Amino acid sequence: MSPAALALVLLVLGCAEATSSRGARRPNVVLILTDDQDVSLGGMTPLKKTKALIGDMGMAFSNAYVPSALCCPSRASILTGKYPHNHHVVNNTLEGNCSSKSWQKIQEPYTFPALLQSSCGYQTFFAGKYLNEYGAEGAGGVGHVPPGWSFWYALEKNSKYYNYTLSINGKARKHGENYSVDYLTDVLANMSLDFLEYKSNFEPFFMMISTPAPHSPWIAAPQYTKSFQNVSAPRNSNFNIHGKNKHWLIRQAKTPMTNSSIQFLDNAFRKRWQTLLSVDDLVEKLVKKLEFHGELDNTYIFFTSDNGYHTGQFSLPIDKRQLYEFDIKVPLLVRGPGIKPNQTNKMLVANIDLGPTILDIAGYNINKTQMDGMSLLPLLRADKNVTWRSDMLVEYQGEGLNSSDPTCPGLGPGVSNCFPDCVCEDSYNNTYACVRTLSASWDLQYCEFDDLEVFVEVYNLTADPFQINNIAKTIDQEILEKMNYRLMMLQSCSGATCRTPGVFDPGYRFDPRLMFNNHAVRARRFSMLSS
């Protein structure tokens, strides 16, 4: 097909044009996604080269969040540009729609990589962890290659560093435990460099590189196992304290933690940092390769994580899944054409924005999608008078076991991830939804739990950045009512309605009578909790 014919096809299908007015190829995009990397507890500290090569050469977002603090729902949000209530991936299980047949049929054909390939003529490359249940027998095994990927090198199931299986364009390849050929972070780096060496030079490309680090089992490369020997988990003001006035799952944590728990989490913290040093090497190799091939100046590079992590906050030893900053806030660094270096952006952004942003870069009309997110391109280019959101939704559906944990029989069924010392990190009724608000007047989080208590947590992060004091019973009643109503609106939003003005936007309008019309059940719950 001639370039003119290709441009016409892409115009019809959704991309504005195949090339820019000067005839240059559309920008390339690289998305590097880590696994469980926090930003609130120093998770970026080991990544000095990444900060220098991406953050210092472009923009760092200081308020980047995920709409669900768990791997599979968060990754589904990245791919679809949607909140969990719209892509319906609620946890890490097949039953929770993680890589299920339903996900494959309903959501996968409309992910942003599928649109990039089919409508914009991009060659697309994936390497690493996809979704936690990818490759499971009930999900079609590793023979399933999602639509939209020209080159597919996906990890079977959850993060590992050795002894894993990759789907190589639908064919299984097993790896062992020989560092030089099997260490997954390095394997992903080498596959990425090979793609850049042998790809077509006539089409733009998109790469998604999804590392296992710093997810458990925290196995560092041999050369890094002695690093950070004197490092411990941060002892900030919410470390090893009782989570008073919080949901029962937080209150059940044992305070003070045992010495064995503290030793366990300190060791995990150190090992997590060690695994990230190989990610830092991957970023350096990738940037050097792009520069060597003359592609760097025409390539956007995004670096982020699927969720945060905690190590000892409110006496919860290690995990994610909670509504607090340490679990929902993630790093986001971006460099690329038109982005000035050494910038920090304080706007409230979310990983549902990545898909619309990358499609916008490619010239796709994002108004034709059903995505809930917004394009970050105006922020990256520092456009003036940009209208931006002041709030976003965080939602999570808890996971619990039907049977008792054999190591903690006294806890009974319904809880999960009870380690160490039988402190449970999740349960069926650890199910909540929050509005995270960041505006000129408020830095606020409002959360409701879907449980018998109808428990509410509210935090003023201006006065209480570590979220120690739940002010649900003392905050102004009008604010509480407005936040309750805004939460109901966001939980039922889709597409453009997810981007309507928040409670503290000048354009926000609140009619309390509406609380008792379309949302009678939730309104009754609210009247119960506020009485």
Side-chain angles (χ1 to χ4, degrees):
M1 182 181 291
S2 69
L6 177 62
L8 179 60
V9 170
L10 298 181
L11 175 62
V12 171
L13 291 176
C15 277
E17 52 186 32
T19 60
S20 71
S21 59
R22 297 181 181 179
R25 203 180 65 215
R26 283 210 165 275
N28 312 305
V29 183
V30 177
L31 172 59
I32 302 165
L33 179 66
T34 56
D35 195 351
D36 285 2
Q37 184 187 358
D38 69 274
V39 71
S40 296
L41 301 177
M44 281 300 297
T45 304
L47 295 166
K48 299 187 185 307
K49 291 181 282 191
T50 300
K51 181 180 181 299
L53 293 170
I54 303 179
D56 293 350
M57 298 302 295
M59 182 176 288
F61 287 88
S62 58
N63 291 296
Y65 290 85
V66 296
S68 191
L70 191 63
C71 300
C72 206
S74 181
R75 288 163 183 265
S77 286
I78 290 173
L79 291 163
T80 62
K82 296 178 180 179
Y83 283 120
H85 70 267
N86 287 327
H87 61 59
H88 306 296
V89 178
V90 296
N91 54 42
N92 285 345
T93 66
L94 276 177
E95 295 76 16
N97 205 29
C98 181
S99 202
S100 69
K101 292 286 189 179
S102 174
W103 155 266
Q104 293 171 16
K105 179 181 179 180
I106 298 173
Q107 300 297 337
E108 275 188 343
Y110 306 102
T111 62
F112 79 84
L115 296 175
L116 280 179
Q117 187 197 53
S118 65
S119 298
C120 301
Y122 272 65
Q123 43 191 330
T124 54
F125 168 92
F126 182 88
K129 175 177 170 178
Y130 179 58
L131 301 175
N132 296 58
E133 287 295 327
Y134 172 77
E137 185 177 346
V142 296
H144 171 68
V145 177
W149 298 104
S150 315
F151 303 90
W152 178 253
Y153 306 113
L155 177 67
E156 179 188 36
K157 295 194 174 180
N158 207 359
S159 281
K160 292 183 178 180
Y161 298 83
Y162 294 110
N163 298 309
Y164 54 86
T165 298
L166 291 177
S167 171
I168 309 296
N169 297 315
K171 303 293 183 183
R173 179 193 292 173
K174 293 187 180 297
H175 280 258
E177 49 188 345
N178 181 341
Y179 169 71
S180 63
V181 294
D182 295 318
Y183 189 69
L184 183 55
T185 306
D186 292 352
V187 169
L188 301 182
N190 293 334
M191 286 177 166
S192 302
L193 299 182
D194 285 346
F195 169 75
L196 291 175
E197 189 69 35
Y198 299 112
K199 65 176 177 58
S200 165
N201 290 323
F202 301 101
E203 300 166 317
F205 61 83
F206 168 70
M207 303 177 71
M208 185 170 177
I209 307 162
S210 181
T211 73
H215 195 285
S216 62
W218 316 305
I219 300 175
Q223 66 270 30
Y224 295 133
T225 56
K226 302 298 183 183
S227 301
F228 309 119
Q229 288 301 302
N230 297 320
V231 168
S232 300
R235 268 51 170 177
N236 50 27
S237 58
N238 57 14
F239 179 84
N240 198 14
I241 67 168
H242 179 61
K244 62 179 181 179
N245 298 322
K246 287 178 167 52
H247 182 235
W248 77 267
L249 188 67
I250 310 300
R251 300 197 302 266
Q252 58 86 37
K254 299 172 182 176
T255 306
M257 290 186 285
T258 63
N259 289 336
S260 60
S261 280
I262 293 176
Q263 184 178 0
F264 177 82
L265 69 87
D266 277 340
N267 190 46
F269 188 90
R270 191 177 305 114
K271 288 182 174 181
R272 282 163 50 79
W273 275 21
Q274 290 170 356
T275 67
L276 284 169
L277 293 175
S278 292
V279 177
D280 214 27
D281 292 340
L282 180 155
V283 171
E284 181 182 42
K285 293 173 186 176
L286 191 71
V287 171
K288 286 184 175 179
K289 192 74 166 182
L290 288 166
E291 189 170 28
F292 177 78
H293 285 287
E295 299 276 12
L296 186 58
D297 290 342
N298 193 41
T299 301
Y300 289 88
I301 305 177
F302 293 75
F303 181 94
T304 191
S305 173
D306 58 1
N307 49 255
Y309 207 72
H310 57 258
T311 46
Q313 283 62 48
F314 304 123
S315 298
L316 297 173
I318 56 163
D319 201 45
K320 52 267 185 174
R321 308 167 196 265
Q322 308 307 328
L323 57 89
Y324 309 105
E325 292 285 280
F326 41 75
D327 283 359
I328 64 173
K329 196 171 188 178
V330 293
L332 178 57
L333 312 177
V334 191
R335 68 170 288 173
I339 305 177
K340 295 179 181 178
N342 293 305
Q343 293 190 87
T344 298
N345 189 292
K346 297 181 180 180
M347 293 294 192
L348 180 65
V349 301
N351 70 7
I352 56 172
D353 300 330
L354 294 173
T357 303
I358 293 169
L359 289 174
D360 198 9
I361 288 170
Y364 190 89
N365 181 356
I366 56 178
N367 292 324
K368 293 186 175 182
T369 74
Q370 298 299 312
M371 294 182 174
D372 303 332
M374 305 168 68
S375 172
L376 301 175
L377 208 49
L379 301 182
L380 295 172
R381 292 175 174 169
D383 292 351
K384 297 186 182 300
N385 301 319
V386 176
T387 300
W388 200 253
R389 69 162 69 86
S390 66
D391 64 17
M392 61 163 285
L393 177 68
V394 179
E395 49 190 349
Y396 177 64
Q397 182 171 316
E399 292 182 72
L401 300 175
N402 289 322
S403 56
S404 296
D405 186 328
T407 61
C408 306
L411 297 174
V415 293
S416 63
N417 294 277
C418 302
F419 61 91
D421 295 325
C422 293
V423 174
C424 301
E425 297 277 0
D426 209 358
S427 67
Y428 278 127
N429 67 351
N430 183 39
T431 296
Y432 58 81
C434 306
V435 181
R436 182 69 179 88
T437 290
L438 188 61
S439 68
S441 53
W442 281 97
D443 188 354
L444 185 73
Q445 186 172 15
Y446 172 92
C447 303
E448 287 185 20
F449 281 83
D450 186 12
D451 60 12
L452 293 177
E453 286 186 285
V454 197
F455 201 79
V456 175
E457 295 187 30
V458 183
Y459 299 98
N460 177 358
L461 282 94
T462 303
D464 179 23
F466 294 103
Q467 295 171 289
I468 295 170
N469 300 309
N470 178 9
I471 60 171
K473 294 183 178 179
T474 59
I475 194 170
D476 184 88
Q477 183 72 14
E478 183 181 358
I479 293 178
L480 205 62
E481 291 175 357
K482 287 182 176 180
M483 295 305 293
N484 169 258
Y485 180 65
R486 180 62 177 163
L487 180 61
M488 291 190 287
M489 294 295 98
L490 285 175
Q491 283 189 280
S492 60
C493 76
S494 178
T497 60
C498 297
R499 306 187 291 272
T500 54
V503 168
F504 298 103
D505 285 342
Y508 179 78
R509 296 291 180 268
F510 171 63
D511 183 350
R513 293 172 298 179
L514 295 176
M515 295 177 61
F516 302 96
N517 293 335
N518 299 327
H519 304 277
V521 174
R522 290 181 62 84
R524 281 199 300 273
R525 286 183 175 180
F526 177 77
S527 64
M528 289 166 55
L529 66 92
S530 59
S531 60

